[in-house]
Amino acid sequence: MSFPFEKFIIKAREHNKSEEFINACLVYGKNLVEKKLPVIFSLEHLSIQIGVKSDYLRNLVGDGKNDIIYNYEHKYKRYNYFKLKKRNGTFREIMAPAKDLKYIQKWILVNVLENYPLAESCKGFRKKVSIYDNAKVHENAEVILKIDLLKFYDTITERRVYGIFKSMGYVENLAFTLAKITTARHRESYWIDFDRNSQEILSKLLKEKPSILPQGAPTSPMLANIIATKLDYRFEALARKINFNYSRYADDLTFSIQKKGKLPPLKLINKIISEEGFFVNTEKTKYMKKGSKQYVTGLTTTNGVNVSKKYRKEISEHIFYCRKYGVVSHLKRRENEFPKYNSMNFHDWLYGHLCFIKSINETASKNMLEDFNKINWFV
């Protein structure tokens, strides 16, 4: 990131700024440039760079004089709330930012957050890195250990996000502003739905109900990665010491060993996770030994990385029956599975799954794609 320092000096002197002030600004700005971050001095300067009115940003984040967490209810009306049901029957609350707020968050993501250097073991929500890369770390392992972080986004509070922006080198007031723009509160009903295990482990969080990373904001995945960077570095160092493999995809931590090596004890893993401000979902801790089903982020890893046979068989059956009976007839037979589907959106659904298979195993997808292209979508 470049910044017109010479022009800044000239303008600052024209406005009778002291040399001490100018030098302090230069030190501040050069520190950010060295980190490949945009030079931003204040909320007003941020609004100019983004291309929005400063009054809008100020209204969005509140006055911020004393409190960085509470009493900014007007801000949270900038989100649309809805729930998604998870496989275990519980719900996650999605907070989708309104169009204008989303635009601002995307600017922060592209211009600030994506320049942060992440650990090599971080495999989630990164350009040109996929679930395949995450699973590849653990292929043909003797033993795989999977650890899930409990309420990952909810434990990343506004205060922690503020700390990240400040550690990047931004002044306190601006770090407050950036933290407020990228966090939000859950609705009160969300906290009531916590299961007993979560209530016990996250009792402090339930009491405070702070602003957290909203699932739905474009900045949240990258901020979560940044905040978990120290956790990743600690496990990477431990992996080099006792010879095991480690990777993290969002809140999924995976440890594995080949014929030689040693997995860290659970007690030590839990200790490191706790010291870094996270919590373990003990119900999802799982060991997978060679000879049993081994999978990482949904992909099998026993004999190289692949999509499961069950999944490929399911997609192949859809193609077979579409060709044999016709798409309309097939959808009628599977009406419970595909309610309100027609030929066109089923085409997109099926093609999307084939593209996913191709991204993991191009050879396996070749014949499937050939058969897919023989389907008559008008019968």
mmCIF file of all heavy atoms in Angstrom, residues 308-325:
data_model
loop_
_atom_site.group_PDB
_atom_site.id
_atom_site.type_symbol
_atom_site.label_atom_id
_atom_site.label_comp_id
_atom_site.label_asym_id
_atom_site.label_seq_id
_atom_site.Cartn_x
_atom_site.Cartn_y
_atom_site.Cartn_z
ATOM 1 N N SER A 308 -16.621 -39.244 -0.669
ATOM 2 C CA SER A 308 -16.997 -40.588 -0.235
ATOM 3 C C SER A 308 -17.706 -41.361 -1.352
ATOM 4 O O SER A 308 -18.357 -40.778 -2.217
ATOM 5 C CB SER A 308 -17.905 -40.512 0.998
ATOM 6 O OG SER A 308 -19.168 -39.983 0.646
ATOM 7 N N LYS A 309 -17.585 -42.688 -1.300
ATOM 8 C CA LYS A 309 -18.266 -43.543 -2.281
ATOM 9 C C LYS A 309 -19.773 -43.369 -2.183
ATOM 10 O O LYS A 309 -20.485 -43.389 -3.189
ATOM 11 C CB LYS A 309 -17.881 -45.004 -2.049
ATOM 12 C CG LYS A 309 -16.450 -45.339 -2.452
ATOM 13 C CD LYS A 309 -16.169 -46.816 -2.234
ATOM 14 C CE LYS A 309 -14.737 -47.160 -2.636
ATOM 15 N NZ LYS A 309 -14.440 -48.593 -2.398
ATOM 16 N N LYS A 310 -20.276 -43.213 -0.965
ATOM 17 C CA LYS A 310 -21.706 -43.042 -0.749
ATOM 18 C C LYS A 310 -22.217 -41.791 -1.459
ATOM 19 O O LYS A 310 -23.271 -41.805 -2.097
ATOM 20 C CB LYS A 310 -21.989 -42.952 0.746
ATOM 21 C CG LYS A 310 -23.458 -42.794 1.091
ATOM 22 C CD LYS A 310 -23.660 -42.684 2.598
ATOM 23 C CE LYS A 310 -25.127 -42.467 2.927
ATOM 24 N NZ LYS A 310 -25.342 -42.309 4.397
ATOM 25 N N TYR A 311 -21.451 -40.725 -1.367
ATOM 26 C CA TYR A 311 -21.837 -39.452 -1.995
ATOM 27 C C TYR A 311 -21.813 -39.582 -3.514
ATOM 28 O O TYR A 311 -22.757 -39.171 -4.206
ATOM 29 C CB TYR A 311 -20.878 -38.364 -1.523
ATOM 30 C CG TYR A 311 -21.061 -37.024 -2.182
ATOM 31 C CD1 TYR A 311 -22.190 -36.254 -1.952
ATOM 32 C CD2 TYR A 311 -20.074 -36.508 -3.032
ATOM 33 C CE1 TYR A 311 -22.348 -35.014 -2.548
ATOM 34 C CE2 TYR A 311 -20.224 -35.268 -3.633
ATOM 35 C CZ TYR A 311 -21.361 -34.526 -3.385
ATOM 36 O OH TYR A 311 -21.513 -33.307 -3.984
ATOM 37 N N ARG A 312 -20.749 -40.187 -4.055
ATOM 38 C CA ARG A 312 -20.654 -40.366 -5.508
ATOM 39 C C ARG A 312 -21.778 -41.270 -6.029
ATOM 40 O O ARG A 312 -22.341 -41.027 -7.096
ATOM 41 C CB ARG A 312 -19.293 -40.956 -5.877
ATOM 42 C CG ARG A 312 -18.156 -39.924 -5.928
ATOM 43 C CD ARG A 312 -16.849 -40.572 -6.273
ATOM 44 N NE ARG A 312 -16.285 -41.297 -5.149
ATOM 45 C CZ ARG A 312 -15.346 -42.228 -5.250
ATOM 46 N NH1 ARG A 312 -14.882 -42.571 -6.435
ATOM 47 N NH2 ARG A 312 -14.870 -42.823 -4.173
ATOM 48 N N LYS A 313 -22.096 -42.302 -5.253
ATOM 49 C CA LYS A 313 -23.168 -43.215 -5.642
ATOM 50 C C LYS A 313 -24.514 -42.499 -5.701
ATOM 51 O O LYS A 313 -25.311 -42.707 -6.623
ATOM 52 C CB LYS A 313 -23.237 -44.379 -4.654
ATOM 53 C CG LYS A 313 -24.270 -45.430 -5.028
ATOM 54 C CD LYS A 313 -24.288 -46.563 -4.011
ATOM 55 C CE LYS A 313 -25.353 -47.597 -4.375
ATOM 56 N NZ LYS A 313 -25.418 -48.687 -3.376
ATOM 57 N N GLU A 314 -24.747 -41.626 -4.714
ATOM 58 C CA GLU A 314 -26.000 -40.878 -4.667
ATOM 59 C C GLU A 314 -26.164 -39.993 -5.905
ATOM 60 O O GLU A 314 -27.230 -39.955 -6.528
ATOM 61 C CB GLU A 314 -26.049 -40.016 -3.406
ATOM 62 C CG GLU A 314 -27.295 -39.165 -3.277
ATOM 63 C CD GLU A 314 -27.226 -38.196 -2.118
ATOM 64 O OE1 GLU A 314 -26.341 -38.355 -1.252
ATOM 65 O OE2 GLU A 314 -28.044 -37.255 -2.095
ATOM 66 N N ILE A 315 -25.100 -39.286 -6.282
ATOM 67 C CA ILE A 315 -25.159 -38.405 -7.453
ATOM 68 C C ILE A 315 -25.299 -39.217 -8.736
ATOM 69 O O ILE A 315 -26.062 -38.857 -9.644
ATOM 70 C CB ILE A 315 -23.909 -37.504 -7.505
ATOM 71 C CG1 ILE A 315 -23.818 -36.631 -6.245
ATOM 72 C CG2 ILE A 315 -23.938 -36.626 -8.751
ATOM 73 C CD1 ILE A 315 -25.039 -35.775 -5.976
ATOM 74 N N SER A 316 -24.592 -40.354 -8.808
ATOM 75 C CA SER A 316 -24.687 -41.221 -9.987
ATOM 76 C C SER A 316 -26.103 -41.756 -10.162
ATOM 77 O O SER A 316 -26.599 -41.881 -11.288
ATOM 78 C CB SER A 316 -23.704 -42.395 -9.868
ATOM 79 O OG SER A 316 -22.376 -41.941 -9.928
ATOM 80 N N GLU A 317 -26.761 -42.088 -9.050
ATOM 81 C CA GLU A 317 -28.135 -42.594 -9.115
ATOM 82 C C GLU A 317 -29.095 -41.543 -9.668
ATOM 83 O O GLU A 317 -29.993 -41.865 -10.457
ATOM 84 C CB GLU A 317 -28.588 -43.050 -7.726
ATOM 85 C CG GLU A 317 -28.001 -44.392 -7.304
ATOM 86 C CD GLU A 317 -28.476 -44.824 -5.934
ATOM 87 O OE1 GLU A 317 -29.127 -44.000 -5.241
ATOM 88 O OE2 GLU A 317 -28.202 -45.971 -5.553
ATOM 89 N N HIS A 318 -28.915 -40.300 -9.259
ATOM 90 C CA HIS A 318 -29.762 -39.222 -9.783
ATOM 91 C C HIS A 318 -29.614 -39.128 -11.306
ATOM 92 O O HIS A 318 -30.615 -38.988 -12.033
ATOM 93 C CB HIS A 318 -29.390 -37.889 -9.143
ATOM 94 C CG HIS A 318 -29.910 -37.703 -7.751
ATOM 95 N ND1 HIS A 318 -31.254 -37.785 -7.447
ATOM 96 C CD2 HIS A 318 -29.269 -37.445 -6.585
ATOM 97 C CE1 HIS A 318 -31.424 -37.570 -6.151
ATOM 98 N NE2 HIS A 318 -30.238 -37.378 -5.602
ATOM 99 N N ILE A 319 -28.377 -39.203 -11.769
ATOM 100 C CA ILE A 319 -28.128 -39.118 -13.216
ATOM 101 C C ILE A 319 -28.764 -40.305 -13.930
ATOM 102 O O ILE A 319 -29.430 -40.151 -14.967
ATOM 103 C CB ILE A 319 -26.603 -39.072 -13.492
ATOM 104 C CG1 ILE A 319 -25.996 -37.788 -12.904
ATOM 105 C CG2 ILE A 319 -26.323 -39.154 -14.996
ATOM 106 C CD1 ILE A 319 -24.486 -37.757 -12.936
ATOM 107 N N PHE A 320 -28.596 -41.494 -13.358
ATOM 108 C CA PHE A 320 -29.140 -42.717 -13.963
ATOM 109 C C PHE A 320 -30.660 -42.644 -14.087
ATOM 110 O O PHE A 320 -31.228 -42.914 -15.157
ATOM 111 C CB PHE A 320 -28.726 -43.929 -13.116
ATOM 112 C CG PHE A 320 -29.346 -45.220 -13.578
ATOM 113 C CD1 PHE A 320 -28.829 -45.909 -14.661
ATOM 114 C CD2 PHE A 320 -30.463 -45.739 -12.924
ATOM 115 C CE1 PHE A 320 -29.409 -47.104 -15.094
ATOM 116 C CE2 PHE A 320 -31.048 -46.920 -13.349
ATOM 117 C CZ PHE A 320 -30.520 -47.609 -14.437
ATOM 118 N N TYR A 321 -31.336 -42.269 -13.008
ATOM 119 C CA TYR A 321 -32.792 -42.246 -13.020
ATOM 120 C C TYR A 321 -33.348 -41.106 -13.882
ATOM 121 O O TYR A 321 -34.431 -41.233 -14.464
ATOM 122 C CB TYR A 321 -33.343 -42.159 -11.599
ATOM 123 C CG TYR A 321 -33.152 -43.440 -10.826
ATOM 124 C CD1 TYR A 321 -32.464 -43.454 -9.614
ATOM 125 C CD2 TYR A 321 -33.651 -44.650 -11.312
ATOM 126 C CE1 TYR A 321 -32.281 -44.638 -8.905
ATOM 127 C CE2 TYR A 321 -33.474 -45.837 -10.612
ATOM 128 C CZ TYR A 321 -32.781 -45.827 -9.418
ATOM 129 O OH TYR A 321 -32.600 -46.993 -8.733
ATOM 130 N N CYS A 322 -32.616 -39.996 -13.957
ATOM 131 C CA CYS A 322 -33.039 -38.909 -14.847
ATOM 132 C C CYS A 322 -33.008 -39.365 -16.297
ATOM 133 O O CYS A 322 -33.880 -39.010 -17.106
ATOM 134 C CB CYS A 322 -32.137 -37.686 -14.658
ATOM 135 S SG CYS A 322 -32.526 -36.692 -13.206
ATOM 136 N N ARG A 323 -32.010 -40.167 -16.643
ATOM 137 C CA ARG A 323 -31.900 -40.671 -18.012
ATOM 138 C C ARG A 323 -32.929 -41.770 -18.280
ATOM 139 O O ARG A 323 -33.495 -41.868 -19.368
ATOM 140 C CB ARG A 323 -30.488 -41.212 -18.261
ATOM 141 C CG ARG A 323 -29.407 -40.134 -18.277
ATOM 142 C CD ARG A 323 -28.065 -40.732 -18.655
ATOM 143 N NE ARG A 323 -28.093 -41.259 -20.023
ATOM 144 C CZ ARG A 323 -27.156 -42.061 -20.529
ATOM 145 N NH1 ARG A 323 -26.134 -42.440 -19.768
ATOM 146 N NH2 ARG A 323 -27.242 -42.494 -21.760
ATOM 147 N N LYS A 324 -33.183 -42.601 -17.270
ATOM 148 C CA LYS A 324 -34.082 -43.743 -17.460
ATOM 149 C C LYS A 324 -35.552 -43.335 -17.474
ATOM 150 O O LYS A 324 -36.326 -43.782 -18.335
ATOM 151 C CB LYS A 324 -33.833 -44.771 -16.355
ATOM 152 C CG LYS A 324 -34.656 -46.041 -16.521
ATOM 153 C CD LYS A 324 -34.283 -47.081 -15.482
ATOM 154 C CE LYS A 324 -35.098 -48.366 -15.700
ATOM 155 N NZ LYS A 324 -34.738 -49.422 -14.716
ATOM 156 N N TYR A 325 -35.961 -42.502 -16.507
ATOM 157 C CA TYR A 325 -37.373 -42.165 -16.353
ATOM 158 C C TYR A 325 -37.729 -40.756 -16.830
ATOM 159 O O TYR A 325 -38.900 -40.415 -16.968
ATOM 160 C CB TYR A 325 -37.796 -42.296 -14.885
ATOM 161 C CG TYR A 325 -37.630 -43.689 -14.332
ATOM 162 C CD1 TYR A 325 -36.697 -43.928 -13.329
ATOM 163 C CD2 TYR A 325 -38.399 -44.755 -14.800
ATOM 164 C CE1 TYR A 325 -36.529 -45.212 -12.806
ATOM 165 C CE2 TYR A 325 -38.241 -46.031 -14.284
ATOM 166 C CZ TYR A 325 -37.303 -46.262 -13.288
ATOM 167 O OH TYR A 325 -37.151 -47.521 -12.776
#
